[in-house]
Amino acid sequence: MSELKVIPMKPRTQSDSSSSSTGVVERDDTDRIDATELREEHEQRRQEQHRHIEEVDNETLLRMLYQMVLIRRFEEKAAEAYTLGKIGGFCHLYIGQEAVAVGSVSAIRPDDYVLTSYRDHGHALVMGTSPDEVMAELFGKAGGCSAGKGGSMHLFDADKNFLGGHAIVGGQIPLATGVAFASKYRGTDQVTLCYFGEAAVNQGAFHESLNMAQLWKLPCIYVCENNQYGMGTSLKRAMSQSDVSQKACAYGLASEFVDGMDVLAVRAATERAIARARKDSLPSLLEVRTYRFMGHSMSDPGHYRTRAEIERYQERDPIKVFSSNLREKRVLDDAGLKEIEDRVRTEVERAVKFADSSPEPAREELYTDIYATKP
Amino acid sequence: MAVITMREALNQAMREEMQRDGGVFLMGEEVAAYQGAYKVSKGLLEEFGEKRVIDSPITELGFAGLGVGAAMAGLRPIIEFMTFNFSILATDQIINSAAKMRYMSGGQFKIPIVFRGPNGSAFQVSSQHSQALESWYAHFPGLKVVMPSTPADAKGLLKSAIRDDDPVIFLEQERMYGNKGEVPDAEDFLVPLGQADVKREGTDATIVARSMTVPLALKAAEELEKQGVSVEVIDPRTIRPLDIETIISSVKKTNRVVIAEESHAFCGVAAEISAQIMERAFDYLDAPVRRVSGADAPMPYAKNLERLALPDVERIVKAVREVAYL
């Protein structure tokens, strides 16, 4: 099924890995990478994105860049607020993975559905939930998008068809399958995007869902955001067959391997999957290879990967690469980029102010929203 | 009033609600072509077609979660577990998704779903097929738990459960599917959730019983009447929300309580009810509350041991005599 032409950013083979059985990286492996090969890969990817840029209108391209920058700056601010003690509990940042949510959501309609995992800030923002409400939710305030009851991992926005952040690994996969079932049951052509990390692929929920989705031809697009680490455990240490897109074969689904650092490659792959879903009510699995630049959560010591590895991926920072290519294609100039950064800064600062000033939920809210029908 | 079996009553409830609301569908293992492992869904495939009566693969976590997602998107799924023993595989979706979605979304979503099927023991099906799980599900705010003991209650409660906007765990009992009883003919016959029923009035002692222990309690009451003891039998019918008021009123009248249940006693529903009685009516009690529960052992296969593991009329009579100091 794959129409991918770029060289996937496949991890080095097992024999190249210098990980010990405990996962602590004892030495740097960057010297093993052929510099020429790497330059060629980068050049190929650059050309690929240039080609995609020509296929998309400027307004959409700039909106996507804006959304990616918004997520990045929002998350940086969230990290800051977390260290100040304004955000409690778990806080999983989306920095590095912005191209996945932005690229895929850019391909859907407003009446389509999105469900994701606990790393959900980016998805909520790109679905149109206001940064004010997302930040207020992180702060545990009444003005939050889940009224302060869900927190970072449980952002919801029913009006935007954003059906949540779900915090049991893989738990959202059967739910999304059911949402897609409802669309088919009603005879609409709505599609459902279901995001999850690669570690969720080891859960039964993933396999049970893919089986039902293909069996009953449900319009669900399963987007595996393969950031290559389930908390601190690398893909290679957790999955016997680590080629996630191949898992679709077991259930007869269409699948693609997608470069998750290229927002337009993600958009194009999602468009192909949406075509299958809308027209023929067929599910797809997209393995979108990405990388999170920050820890799993704010409390991640980061001992399981090297600085060199992170830097290697930061060279491919999806925002840096996209804005650079947009400049080269003359879609964006310095003034345009500054305008986006300024707008985002204002919005994020306003979000923090809103969250700060929003009241805590009233005491009686402890016992509301448990049941819809009271006996 | 027609006399029908529990199985027929449940079937009627689903049929009528599916006729009434196109968003109601039934999904589960063998519910369609096979007509239901216990024939509760007999004829539904023929009437409603395969779009609305759906045989699922054996994939409990998957189809339970699919049901919750469909409910989030506005449908009213009835998810049948062939037995509630298999729901154990689906508890993540029932407890982490269905029970909490409304709360953690700040009230944005309702989850109108019914999980139903037989709960508790059958006949010599051994340890993994004989578990009564009501205390598990009743533990969690966000879920409603229903346990009918008569065909009329089964029909009226299931119809209410399907119309309810919250997730309902509807626990049937395989031993009772063939039990017959009168069921009102009215099309819109409903039994509201959260209301206990006084199955028999009495003055000397109260037996709180549910599901399969209700007929046992009524037999015990007959037996005790012959011995000069007047027993009131209360069936909560809904475990969560629990109609504790009706139980407390009875305790204030009789001052003596026995709670009969099929499940294990430890951390069970009888323990909860007896704690609430103590909190609310301690001064009215003339004797400690007694529980008659299933044995604190996995269910054995052998017929004689299985009989020993379950509550029976004799043990309930004995417990009532004990609380009455007879």
Side-chain angles (χ1 to χ4, degrees):
Chain A
M1 269 321 290
S2 179
E3 299 175 37
L4 194 83
K5 293 191 183 69
V6 273
I7 296 168
M9 34 181 235
K10 52 178 185 257
R12 305 291 140 185
T13 56
Q14 190 91 62
S15 58
D16 288 340
S17 167
S18 55
S19 298
S20 71
S21 59
T22 59
V24 177
V25 180
E26 284 146 2
R27 62 185 168 77
D28 195 339
D29 65 350
T30 39
D31 57 340
R32 288 166 176 246
I33 297 165
D34 185 308
T36 315
E37 192 189 319
L38 198 62
R39 267 200 306 279
E40 278 172 13
E41 281 184 21
H42 285 338
E43 179 53 25
Q44 259 187 294
R45 292 196 189 100
R46 190 177 75 91
Q47 287 174 17
E48 180 73 9
Q49 195 168 68
H50 277 210
R51 194 174 62 74
H52 276 127
I53 286 172
E54 287 164 15
E55 294 165 356
V56 182
D57 65 90
N58 286 4
E59 196 192 327
T60 304
L61 292 167
L62 293 174
R63 189 182 65 240
M64 292 169 78
L65 179 64
Y66 155 75
Q67 289 173 328
M68 290 167 77
V69 175
L70 173 64
I71 295 171
R72 178 71 54 93
R73 301 291 171 248
F74 182 96
E75 294 290 60
E76 287 166 356
K77 191 58 86 176
E80 191 185 306
Y82 189 91
T83 57
L84 292 171
K86 291 184 177 184
I87 300 173
F90 298 129
C91 187
H92 309 87
L93 302 177
Y94 201 55
I95 292 174
Q97 299 183 213
E98 296 92 340
V100 186
V102 170
S104 49
V105 169
S106 80
I108 65 172
R109 287 192 322 226
D111 64 334
D112 291 330
Y113 295 100
V114 164
L115 291 89
T116 188
S117 71
Y118 46 82
R119 196 180 301 284
D120 57 352
H121 310 171
H123 304 80
L125 292 170
V126 76
M127 286 299 283
T129 307
S130 85
D132 293 9
E133 286 183 33
V134 178
M135 194 66 86
E137 189 60 36
L138 305 191
F139 280 37
K141 299 297 189 70
C145 58
S146 303
K149 290 181 171 179
S152 164
M153 302 188 287
H154 303 298
L155 305 173
F156 287 86
D157 194 337
D159 292 340
K160 301 282 195 302
N161 276 2
F162 177 55
L163 271 50
H166 301 271
I168 304 299
V169 172
Q172 71 277 24
I173 307 177
L175 295 173
T177 307
V179 174
F181 174 91
S183 297
K184 183 163 187 184
Y185 187 93
R186 287 214 185 85
T188 72
D189 67 346
Q190 291 161 289
V191 305
T192 299
L193 290 188
C194 176
Y195 300 85
F196 48 90
E198 83 288 343
V201 168
N202 289 330
Q203 290 276 35
F206 168 86
H207 297 273
E208 296 189 26
S209 296
L210 261 62
N211 180 49
M212 293 188 298
Q214 182 67 16
L215 186 67
W216 294 327
K217 307 285 185 281
L218 305 179
C220 195
I221 299 166
Y222 300 95
V223 183
C224 174
E225 298 196 52
N226 182 354
N227 67 20
Q228 307 170 56
Y229 290 90
M231 276 189 78
T233 303
S234 70
L235 179 62
K236 291 285 182 195
R237 292 175 59 229
M239 203 179 289
S240 55
Q241 211 297 36
S242 58
D243 196 344
V244 173
S245 63
Q246 291 301 308
K247 311 275 175 184
C249 302
Y251 307 102
L253 264 81
S255 74
E256 284 196 46
F257 182 95
V258 188
D259 177 2
M261 304 307 254
D262 180 346
V263 67
L264 296 179
V266 176
R267 176 182 161 92
T270 310
E271 281 174 339
R272 290 188 286 273
I274 286 174
R276 290 190 285 270
R278 274 207 223 292
K279 196 168 148 286
D280 303 317
S281 193
L282 286 173
S284 300
L285 171 66
L286 303 181
E287 178 191 355
V288 184
R289 188 67 65 92
T290 182
Y291 197 80
R292 69 171 148 71
F293 294 165
M294 312 291 280
H296 164 74
S297 69
M298 289 299 293
S299 52
D300 182 343
H303 294 323
Y304 52 87
R305 54 185 188 175
T306 62
R307 173 52 43 195
E309 179 186 293
I310 298 170
E311 282 169 1
R312 204 162 71 237
Y313 280 105
Q314 281 173 334
E315 278 175 38
R316 301 200 47 222
D317 182 326
I319 298 179
K320 203 169 79 181
V321 167
F322 188 42
S323 54
S324 156
N325 285 331
L326 288 175
R327 280 163 187 272
E328 285 170 23
K329 297 296 285 181
R330 302 196 181 285
V331 177
L332 181 75
D333 56 15
D334 287 349
L337 185 59
K338 185 175 179 305
E339 200 183 308
I340 288 175
E341 286 283 7
D342 288 348
R343 190 176 148 205
V344 163
R345 189 179 310 113
T346 309
E347 284 188 62
V348 172
E349 280 169 8
R350 195 189 62 207
V352 172
K353 275 198 193 113
F354 176 86
D356 268 330
S357 62
S358 176
E360 288 182 329
R363 290 171 62 96
E364 53 270 25
E365 290 298 320
L366 176 61
Y367 292 113
T368 62
D369 303 325
I370 300 170
Y371 294 104
T373 316
K374 284 259 160 92
Chain B
M1 283 209 267
V3 174
I4 58 172
T5 63
M6 191 90 131
R7 176 185 282 112
E8 287 162 339
L10 294 163
N11 181 279
Q12 282 181 9
M14 288 195 286
R15 172 172 283 117
E16 288 173 16
E17 293 307 304
M18 289 179 79
Q19 286 166 347
R20 182 177 173 269
D21 183 344
V24 179
F25 70 91
L26 172 67
M27 176 179 281
E29 292 152 9
E30 310 292 359
V31 297
Y34 196 90
Q35 308 284 313
Y38 298 103
K39 300 289 177 272
V40 175
S41 57
K42 193 175 175 189
L44 297 183
L45 172 66
E46 194 184 355
E47 182 169 347
F48 299 103
E50 54 188 23
K51 180 190 157 191
R52 297 181 66 194
V53 183
I54 304 146
D55 278 328
S56 73
I58 299 173
T59 190
E60 285 87 2
L61 173 69
F63 68 74
L66 183 149
V68 179
M72 284 181 88
L75 300 182
R76 292 189 171 273
I78 305 170
I79 299 296
E80 177 176 311
F81 291 117
M82 191 182 286
T83 86
F84 258 87
N85 297 285
F86 312 151
S87 80
I88 293 173
L89 286 153
T91 47
D92 174 52
Q93 288 297 339
I94 298 171
I95 294 166
N96 279 316
S97 295
K100 290 164 181 66
M101 202 70 74
R102 183 167 184 81
Y103 195 79
M104 64 190 188
S105 68
Q108 292 183 74
F109 293 92
K110 57 181 186 182
I111 309 294
I113 188 168
V114 176
F115 296 101
R116 53 154 289 273
N119 174 64
S121 65
F123 303 94
Q124 282 192 284
V125 291
S126 194
S127 301
Q128 294 180 338
H129 278 67
S130 304
Q131 299 162 105
L133 296 172
E134 58 268 31
S135 67
W136 278 35
Y137 293 115
H139 186 64
F140 295 99
L143 298 178
K144 293 175 178 174
V145 179
V146 177
M147 299 180 79
S149 69
T150 66
D153 287 348
K155 182 174 179 182
L157 286 165
L158 183 53
K159 283 166 70 79
S160 292
I162 294 168
R163 293 186 196 184
D164 199 273
D165 279 339
D166 294 308
V168 179
I169 308 294
F170 195 92
L171 303 169
E172 299 152 16
Q173 221 299 350
E174 192 197 326
R175 292 168 180 265
M176 302 177 85
Y177 278 139
N179 289 11
K180 286 185 176 167
E182 286 189 334
V183 176
D185 297 321
E187 174 113 346
D188 236 28
F189 167 66
L190 295 170
V191 175
L193 305 188
Q195 277 186 18
D197 189 34
V198 180
K199 295 292 184 198
R200 178 190 168 109
E201 290 193 11
T203 53
D204 299 334
T206 301
I207 303 173
V208 181
R210 59 185 190 270
S211 190
M212 70 161 275
T213 59
V214 174
L216 302 181
L218 289 168
K219 272 191 198 134
E222 277 172 35
E223 188 64 39
L224 285 156
E225 191 177 28
K226 290 177 202 157
Q227 300 172 24
V229 183
S230 165
V231 171
E232 183 144 294
V233 176
I234 295 184
D235 177 359
R237 300 193 290 194
T238 304
I239 305 305
R240 185 190 264 270
L242 181 69
D243 179 4
I244 190 70
E245 301 301 333
T246 299
I247 296 169
I248 295 293
S249 300
S250 180
V251 171
K252 287 181 178 175
K253 181 170 70 173
T254 66
N255 314 112
R256 301 166 198 278
V257 190
V258 168
I259 309 172
E261 62 184 358
E262 181 182 2
S263 66
H264 304 301
F266 196 86
C267 296
V269 174
E272 173 62 28
I273 292 172
S274 83
Q276 291 200 32
I277 291 171
M278 193 179 70
E279 287 164 354
R280 308 261 312 257
F282 183 75
D283 291 338
Y284 291 89
L285 288 173
D286 285 347
V289 174
R290 278 291 313 268
R291 287 177 288 171
V292 177
S293 307
D296 198 23
M299 183 63 80
Y301 166 71
K303 211 176 209 167
N304 65 324
L305 295 181
E306 184 186 61
R307 208 179 295 125
L308 277 173
L310 290 167
D312 57 22
V313 175
E314 203 180 5
R315 285 171 59 203
I316 296 171
V317 168
K318 186 162 172 279
V320 172
R321 290 185 63 87
E322 280 170 15
V323 298
Y325 298 122
L326 292 169

